[in-house]
Amino acid sequence: METPKKFSVFFCLFFTMNQVISKSDLMDTFCIGSSGNFTRNTTYNTNLNTLLSTLSNQSSLANYYNLTTGLASDTVHGMFLCTGDINRTTCNACVKTATIEIAKNCTNHREAIIYYFDCMVRYSDKFFLSTLETKPSTILSSTDPIPKSFSKFGQRLSDKMGEVIVRSSLLSSSFTPYYLMDTTRFDDKYDLESIVQCSLLQYDSVTEIRRKR
Ligand SMILES: *[C@@H]1O[C@H](CO)[C@@H](O)[C@H](O)[C@H]1NC(C)=O
Ligand SMILES: *[C@@H]1O[C@H](CO)[C@@H](O)[C@H](O)[C@H]1NC(C)=O
Ligand SMILES: *[C@@H]1O[C@H](CO)[C@@H](O)[C@H](O)[C@H]1NC(C)=O
Ligand SMILES: *[C@@H]1O[C@H](CO)[C@@H](O)[C@H](O)[C@H]1NC(C)=O
Ligand SMILES: *[C@@H]1O[C@H](CO)[C@@H](O)[C@H](O)[C@H]1NC(C)=O
Ligand SMILES: *[C@@H]1O[C@H](CO)[C@@H](O)[C@H](O)[C@H]1NC(C)=O
């Protein structure tokens, strides 16, 4: 019998920047319409509220949590992830805000994702915890122009992202699993600072991530 092929799947929050960004900022909200809307006061709505409340409460205890509530077509899957550089208080505050905002802004959507610099919250009527997805993603750019002397900046940015994601994926047993912060000095002129936080969704290997480099 053939051994089933396994993939490791990570959710990653990663930023690479050459300047300081206020970390409590909202990055993006995705209210996903493809699954259709739910009706207020239905079982799905109640399950979603319970799930968001649980995520909010759990964020004072850990930097990652997932759960599933409800049955059959009323099932809701959800998770939150905080970056490893913030304490429980900040994580809790971020997830609390995120769960309130996602419910408010994505009213009636059966699926949504909200990204802050400190955390992300996601829920869906479809099981997403072991599926590799590269979208939706979000990119924010500094309005500062990149100086001409940073000619290789684009390539370095992309190489660095690939490198730090692979390195963070190996940190399963560190104090804050899958968290990595890296500062690399280029040309003796500038520091490229990268922050990665992944959540391992199904353990196997990092093949899938390596292939993406
Ligand atoms: C909610 O939606 C409003 C209007 O589209 C937008 O201005 C605001 O930034 C959104 N907030 C979040 C948390 O997505
Ligand atoms: C779902 O609800 C949103 C917000 O109320 C609305 O803009 C959108 O048109 C609805 N979509 C469908 C398919 O009913
Ligand atoms: C939902 O239930 C609440 C409290 O039971 C009620 O106040 C509200 O009007 C209901 N909304 C709808 C759309 O039925
Ligand atoms: C979350 O905590 C609040 C305050 O302690 C509590 O009222 C609420 O029932 C909790 N939610 C869940 C789903 O346990
Ligand atoms: C958590 O971090 C925030 C922001 O850095 C800080 O203001 C706060 O004092 C910290 N709280 C604890 C309990 O360490
Ligand atoms: C979901 O959370 C449970 C602990 O509550 C954990 O054992 C499990 O590995 C998590 N699943 C995924 C897919 O992350």
Side-chain angles (χ1 to χ4, degrees), residues 116-152:
Y116 286 82
F117 280 95
D118 284 341
C119 71
M120 68 170 286
V121 168
R122 176 175 186 179
Y123 73 81
S124 177
D125 56 354
K126 294 188 280 290
F127 186 73
F128 60 85
L129 295 166
S130 60
T131 315
L132 178 67
E133 289 168 305
T134 53
K135 284 179 179 171
S137 65
T138 188
I139 297 176
L140 298 184
S141 312
S142 159
T143 50
D144 298 341
I146 296 169
K148 287 210 166 51
S149 60
F150 297 176
S151 57
K152 297 188 189 106

Side-chain angles (χ1 to χ4, degrees), residues 26 29 101 105 114 116:
L26 171 71
T29 309
E101 292 300 310
N105 258 39
I114 191 163
Y116 286 82

